[in-house]
Amino acid sequence: MYSKAILFLIFSVIFFISCSILVGTVDIRSYFFPLLQSQPVSPFPCAADPPLRVYMYDLPRRFNVGMLNRRNLDQTPVTASTWPPWPRNSGLKRQHSVEYWMMGSLLHKATNDGRDAVRVMDPENADAFFVPFFSSLSFNSHGRNMTDPATEIDHQLQIELMKFLSESKYWQRSKGRDHVIPMTHPNAFRFLRNQVNASIQIVVDFGRYPKAMSNLGKDVVAPYVHVVSSFIDENSPDPFESRPTLLFFQGKTFRKDDGIIRVKLAKILDGYDDVHYERSAATEKSIKTSSQGMRSSKFCLHPAGDTPSSCRLFDAIVSHCVPVIVSDQIELPYEDEIDYSRFTLFFSFEEALQPGYMVDKLREFPKERWIEMWKQLKEISHHYEFQYPPEKEDAVNMLWRQVKHKLPGVKLTIHRSRRLKVLDWWQRR
C-alpha cells in the first residue's frame, strides 16, 4: 500500500513539472544549468559578431599608393603582394595617413578572426563601399599651397574619380551614402568635396566643415596617426615621480582660427619652472625631443590648432602622458565606446586663459588619480595604433567598427529617399 502511494506521488510530481515546463512557468535550466542563463553583454562585440563586408573599388595606383613612389609608373591596382610599406621619413604626412592603413587592412589576407571588416569581391554582397583615393596625401603631394599650379594634378584626380563613381550603379543606387571616403586633412578633396557630402567621410574633426557637408550623424571621427614612437617598455615603479615636468607643450604657436589661443597660452604659462612650453617646427629632430618631453611629463597640453584637434593628442596617448585638452569644439574618436574623462582633463578657453588657474589645478591633482589615468592610457593606447598587418581592436579595426555603427542610419536615409517627394519636410515644421 505504501509502495503504491509513493509511486503515485512520484508520478504526480513528474507530471506537474512536465506541465510547468510546457507552459513556461518553470525554467529548468535555471535550476540545473545556471551557467546557461544569459550573460551580461560585453561593451565590445564578441568574436561571433560578423565583420563588416566591404567592397573596395579597383583604382589605378595614381589615386593611392602611386603617390608614395611617383617613379613607379605601374598603374595596375595594388594587391596584398604588391602593397608597399609606408615611407619611414615621411614627416608630418604620416599623421594624415589613415587612408593608407584602411586600404591596407582590406587587402591583407588575415588568418585570424579579429577583423572588424573584410573585403568582398562581389559588390552585391557588400554592406559598404570603400573608395581608395588618398585625398590627404594628394593634397600634401601636389603643390605646397592652394595657389601652386601643381595643385591641378590633385584637381584632375578628383575629376576623374567623380566621373568613375558617377558611372557606378552602386554609387547611383545610394547616391554615395554607403561609400566610405577618408578625408583626414582639412583641405583634402577641396575642389569637389560638395559632390561627396552624402558619403561616410573619415575625418579628424569638423572644424572647417558646415553641418550639411560633414557631421556626427553620418561621418566617423578618426585619430590622427601618431608621429612619435609608442612608449612600449614603460615599467617605472613610480611613474608619477619619474616624470618631473608638470605640463609639456612643443609645437607651432602661430595658428589660424581657434589656434590663436596658443599665442595667448605662451604668455599665460611663461615663468613656471615645472611647465615646458616651446615654440617649435615639426622636424625629425623636434619629433624625437617632443617624444622625450612627453615621456618625462605628467600632463601634455593639447590646445586647438588650425582646427580643434591635432596629432599632439594621440602622441600624448601613446606616450602615456595624461592629455590636457583646451578646446571648446573638439570631437574625439570612438567616443561611443571610450570615455575620455577617465584619462583626459578638459579646460575651456575661458578657464585656460585665467592666469594661474590651469597650473594650480594640475599641481593640486591627486597622485592616486593621476596613476589611475596613467593605467587607463596604457590599457587603451593600442586603439590608436595604425599598423600593417592590422591587429585586433587596433585603430583601423576600431574605425571599421565605427563605420558599421553608422550603417543603420545610412540605410534609413537611403530607404526614405526612395519614396519621399520632399526630402527635408520635417525640417520645415
Side-chain angles (χ1 to χ4, degrees), residues 195-369:
Q195 297 186 28
V196 294
N197 285 356
S199 300
I200 302 172
Q201 299 170 13
I202 310 297
V203 299
V204 290
D205 58 42
F206 303 105
R208 292 187 181 176
Y209 315 130
K211 292 181 180 179
M213 178 181 292
S214 193
N215 58 76
L216 275 176
K218 67 178 185 66
D219 299 321
V220 170
V221 178
Y224 282 89
V225 181
H226 64 83
V227 296
V228 303
S229 299
S230 300
F231 201 177
I232 298 174
D233 55 349
E234 183 180 17
N235 296 308
S236 171
D238 191 341
F240 187 84
E241 298 300 334
S242 68
R243 293 171 176 256
T245 302
L246 176 71
L247 181 64
F248 179 87
F249 172 86
Q250 180 178 312
K252 292 183 178 180
T253 54
F254 293 97
R255 310 305 292 171
K256 295 176 284 186
D257 301 324
D258 287 343
I260 195 172
I261 194 175
R262 294 189 181 186
V263 176
K264 297 178 180 180
L265 285 171
K267 297 177 181 178
I268 292 286
L269 297 173
D270 186 40
Y272 292 102
D273 293 337
D274 52 357
V275 174
H276 181 99
Y277 196 95
E278 179 185 351
R279 178 184 177 184
S280 173
T283 64
E284 186 175 349
K285 181 180 179 181
S286 68
I287 290 173
K288 289 182 179 179
T289 59
S290 181
S291 178
Q292 293 168 358
M294 288 184 171
R295 294 182 181 191
S296 60
S297 301
K298 296 177 178 68
F299 299 97
C300 287
L301 185 62
H302 173 73
D306 290 343
T307 61
S309 66
S310 76
C311 182
R312 188 169 291 99
L313 169 60
F314 308 102
D315 287 344
I317 288 174
V318 300
S319 300
H320 309 152
C321 179
V322 174
V324 175
I325 294 178
V326 178
S327 177
D328 293 336
Q329 298 180 344
I330 195 170
E331 294 296 342
L332 299 167
Y334 334 131
E335 205 162 6
D336 59 343
E337 298 190 61
I338 292 180
D339 180 1
Y340 282 80
S341 67
R342 298 183 67 185
F343 55 86
T344 307
L345 298 181
F346 297 87
F347 291 89
S348 68
F349 284 170
E350 182 181 357
E351 291 172 330
L353 294 178
Q354 293 179 35
Y357 179 82
M358 186 162 60
V359 172
D360 288 345
K361 288 293 184 183
L362 297 181
R363 285 176 173 173
E364 297 167 358
F365 200 79
K367 176 179 178 178
E368 295 75 16
R369 190 176 168 200

Side-chain angles (χ1 to χ4, degrees), residues 10 88 93 123 155 160 264 369 406:
I10 293 173
R88 287 189 176 182
K93 289 182 179 179
H155 189 193
E160 289 181 51
K264 297 178 180 180
R369 190 176 168 200
K406 301 294 181 180

